[in-house]
Amino acid sequence: MSQKTVFSSAQLPSQLSENDRFSLWQDIHVAEIWSVEYGISENLPFEATIEASAIGPVVLGQMSGTIKHATRKANNIADDDNDGYLLLTNKADTVLAGAQVGRDYDVGREKRPWSQRQSP
């Protein structure tokens, strides 16, 4: 990826099933950005938008949608031969959790008030 990449599930064919739309969106992500294993909400229709730009070995971006989990493992690095970092901000009203370089993370906003959230 040498320039800013922007794509959205809204651009995908509407006749596809939720699973097919997610699969196609993930295929585009792998082709345009790099390999990441995503998981989506079981309770909400699939939607996702991402904007990302590569700056050397780092990809910076922002995303929103109903993706709940993102993980980048050794097999993902082998798939795309890119051992850099992906730094995303999550603009959705959901928390995106995952693991990268063996460390767990979560980013985003929960709709519950801060006082009702569980402490780590």
Side-chain angles (χ1 to χ4, degrees):
M1 176 174 55
S2 60
Q3 60 190 20
K4 184 175 184 177
T5 300
V6 179
F7 63 94
S8 171
S9 59
Q11 299 166 308
L12 302 177
S14 60
Q15 70 271 18
L16 295 177
S17 70
E18 292 293 309
N19 286 338
D20 289 343
R21 288 168 42 81
F22 170 62
S23 181
L24 179 55
W25 187 91
Q26 189 155 353
D27 288 347
I28 294 168
H29 189 285
V30 169
E32 297 294 324
I33 299 175
W34 60 14
S35 180
V36 176
E37 296 176 24
Y38 284 111
I40 57 175
S41 172
E42 294 112 24
N43 303 323
L44 300 169
F46 170 66
E47 65 177 70
T49 300
I50 189 166
E51 297 179 27
S53 298
I55 302 171
V58 177
V59 174
L60 300 174
Q62 61 183 0
M63 67 184 302
S64 62
T66 56
I67 291 176
K68 292 179 59 173
H69 187 85
T71 300
R72 187 157 160 83
K73 300 177 182 177
N75 64 305
N76 301 110
I77 295 168
D79 286 348
D80 61 23
D81 197 31
N82 187 340
D83 193 12
Y85 289 93
L86 176 62
L87 301 172
L88 290 175
T89 58
N90 181 20
K91 296 176 64 176
D93 287 334
T94 58
V95 173
L96 171 66
Q100 185 171 332
V101 194
R103 295 178 188 244
D104 293 335
Y105 67 86
D106 53 48
V107 295
R109 299 173 283 200
E110 290 190 60
K111 289 185 177 183
R112 294 181 293 147
W114 183 258
S115 62
Q116 295 177 358
R117 296 180 195 175
Q118 293 179 345
S119 59

